[in-house]
Amino acid sequence: MDWEPKILVFCCNWCSYAGADLAGIARLQMPTNFRMIKVMCSGRVDPEFILSAFSKGADGVLVSGCHLADCHYIGGNYRTRRRIALLKILIEQYGLNPKRLRLEWISAAEGQKFAQVIREFTEEIKALGPSPFKKKSALAVVEASPTVAKVSTAVAEASPGT
Amino acid sequence: MRTYGFKEVYYEKAREAGVMFIRYEEFDRPELIRQDGELKVSLRDPVLRDQLIIDTDLLILSVATVPEPNNANLAQMLKVPLNSDKFFLEAHVKLRPVDFATEGVFVAGLAHSPKFIAEAIAQAKAAAGRASTIISKKAIEAEGIIAAVNEDICDGCGICKPICEYKAIEIVATEEDKKKAEINEALCKGCGACVGACPSGAMEQKGFKDNQLMALIDAALEETTALSI
């Protein structure tokens, strides 16, 4: 099976989520590699979430909020901007390409931009290849959780042909 | 000549009464001059392309409306924004024209922009109407998804306090001579910025708790290959 990237998108409730909704309503074409998590404000995105997503095998993480000075909560996105800038440095030290973390400002009216960003980012992540954490984390999950290991052996036993 | 609002009527009346209106270019403004011991106005008429010198009986200048110089201080005190001209800026030009993003603060009149008295009155009525929607209630229903502090974990480090745009967080002393963050539940809007910033994990946002969002992340990144065999 060809490798398909897994991209996690954090969207703020007021701008980017509505922008994504608009992209959907307008039936804009975009890759289906992303999963979206809604938060009230991009400022809610704890750095821990992003690091956790990467450690669990996300190939890319996109954080999207309202345009600067347009935040529904006055200035949450300024905090986000600072955090993401620092996180990019941090993930590089962990051996990840900082391009795997992306910050975008997408307003509720910018369905086109949302689709464009998703297309671009997916292409970029595809070019970068699978996250170096991917295989390791998948193994770690199997080792750490006996139920998963049991299920996979059970599946392997049940279908000797594969 | 284009006039503001429905003031075209007055322009017409002025023209009928014989008032002359003369244009000038912004870079070529009229000048006051003294000629033969009399005060005169000298200006270049861009239509005639000639210099005009007008005799005066009385010279009346239109006074500019400037913002109150103290606006910046007041804006900072009330946590409300000013526009680039230093007048107060409403939350939304069309949807919330007399409100600020800060709850319970409203704007009307010259604080907002230069305007006529009738407009100031209309705006003041609107602001009073908006204010009465709050003071007519016996109790205010707060947002459900606000932040909450786990007091057992909170060290009172105060990182969350400057993060809050609504000044909803105070660092207070506890009985055991310790400090902790306290949330004013009526002021909190539930953005979660303080939760994202809290280094000890003491701050939580109801409905968007860390473990709830982590569960979402786990589900989104789940390896589904084992099940799809």
Side-chain angles (χ1 to χ4, degrees):
Chain A
M1 197 180 82
D2 283 343
W3 168 74
E4 283 289 333
K6 273 194 173 173
I7 294 169
L8 203 60
V9 183
F10 289 97
C11 275
C12 82
N13 181 50
W14 304 96
C15 293
S16 305
Y17 197 80
D21 204 28
L22 187 65
I25 291 168
R27 294 168 188 259
L28 301 176
Q29 292 300 308
M30 53 192 140
T32 54
N33 301 71
F34 69 97
R35 295 289 177 273
M36 193 186 282
I37 292 179
K38 181 172 81 171
V39 284
M40 290 311 282
C41 177
S42 59
R44 174 67 184 92
V45 179
D46 197 314
E48 201 186 335
F49 297 162
I50 293 166
L51 296 177
S52 159
F54 279 124
S55 78
K56 283 165 187 159
D59 299 299
V61 175
L62 171 69
V63 179
S64 179
C66 309
H67 284 269
L68 290 171
D70 241 4
C71 179
H72 183 82
Y73 297 109
I74 306 175
N77 47 8
Y78 285 97
R79 325 275 181 218
T80 316
R81 185 171 65 166
R82 268 193 239 167
R83 276 178 209 157
I84 300 295
L86 290 172
L87 269 170
K88 274 176 178 274
I89 300 169
L90 190 68
I91 63 166
E92 197 169 11
Q93 288 170 357
Y94 280 130
L96 280 170
N97 191 324
K99 278 185 183 168
R100 291 188 187 274
L101 176 58
R102 184 161 169 171
L103 177 65
E104 283 291 340
W105 310 127
I106 298 170
S107 84
E110 291 176 330
Q112 283 282 0
K113 184 175 175 187
F114 180 84
Q116 184 59 33
V117 165
I118 290 291
R119 280 195 291 264
E120 268 176 32
F121 193 47
T122 310
E123 279 311 307
E124 212 171 283
I125 296 296
K126 275 185 177 167
L128 285 173
S131 157
F133 288 1
K134 193 150 202 135
K135 215 173 172 187
K136 241 187 275 173
S137 73
L139 285 175
V141 168
V142 172
E143 277 164 13
S145 136
T147 47
V148 173
K150 226 181 271 171
V151 168
S152 47
T153 31
V155 170
E157 278 164 12
S159 51
T162 52
Chain B
M1 174 76 79
R2 177 179 286 184
T3 66
Y4 172 78
F6 293 110
K7 305 289 185 286
E8 191 96 13
V9 182
Y10 296 107
Y11 173 67
E12 213 178 303
K13 280 186 180 168
R15 291 290 287 125
E16 279 166 7
V19 176
M20 297 285 292
F21 292 82
I22 305 168
R23 286 164 178 263
Y24 65 87
E25 299 282 359
E26 208 181 342
F27 53 84
D28 197 7
R29 299 184 183 196
E31 279 178 3
L32 275 185
I33 54 168
R34 189 178 286 277
Q35 211 177 50
D36 311 327
E38 281 173 35
L39 198 60
K40 295 184 179 182
V41 178
S42 160
L43 82 158
R44 188 175 170 77
D45 187 324
V47 181
L48 295 176
R49 295 187 185 178
D50 209 353
Q51 201 70 19
L52 300 181
I53 296 190
I54 305 164
D55 296 338
T56 60
D57 295 316
L58 200 61
L59 183 75
I60 304 161
L61 298 174
S62 172
V63 183
T65 306
V66 293
E68 161 70 39
N70 227 355
N71 275 2
N73 291 334
L74 189 60
Q76 208 156 23
M77 273 165 61
L78 298 173
K79 292 227 55 159
V80 295
L82 295 177
N83 66 17
S84 54
D85 294 323
K86 307 285 178 239
F87 286 103
F88 287 95
L89 181 69
E90 67 274 36
H92 192 287
V93 184
K94 287 175 181 162
L95 301 176
R96 297 176 70 193
V98 295
D99 294 36
F100 284 116
T102 309
E103 203 87 329
V105 188
F106 307 94
V107 63
L110 283 180
H112 173 255
S113 65
K115 56 179 50 115
F116 293 103
I117 291 171
E119 287 175 310
I121 292 171
Q123 206 178 15
K125 280 182 174 173
R130 292 290 297 147
S132 65
T133 62
I134 297 172
I135 56 175
S136 61
K137 282 181 196 155
K138 278 195 175 146
I140 290 180
E141 212 167 289
E143 288 266 5
I145 50 166
I146 55 168
V149 186
N150 183 335
E151 292 173 11
D152 293 335
I153 304 176
C154 182
D155 275 333
C157 70
I159 285 178
C160 50
K161 197 183 164 184
I163 297 275
C164 183
E165 297 280 359
Y166 302 95
K167 296 202 165 176
I169 302 175
E170 285 294 333
I171 305 297
V172 295
T174 60
E175 288 163 13
E176 300 101 56
D177 211 26
K178 281 178 172 173
K179 286 188 289 182
K180 67 172 178 72
E182 196 175 73
I183 297 190
N184 184 330
E185 297 190 341
L187 289 178
C188 178
K189 297 275 184 195
C191 67
C194 55
V195 189
C198 181
S200 58
M203 200 66 90
E204 281 287 15
Q205 185 182 7
K206 292 171 187 170
F208 288 86
K209 288 188 174 182
D210 276 344
N211 56 5
Q212 290 174 319
L213 286 169
M214 280 295 193
L216 282 174
I217 295 168
D218 286 348
L221 297 171
E222 212 165 41
E223 291 294 337
T224 49
T225 43
L227 298 170
S228 63
I229 290 172

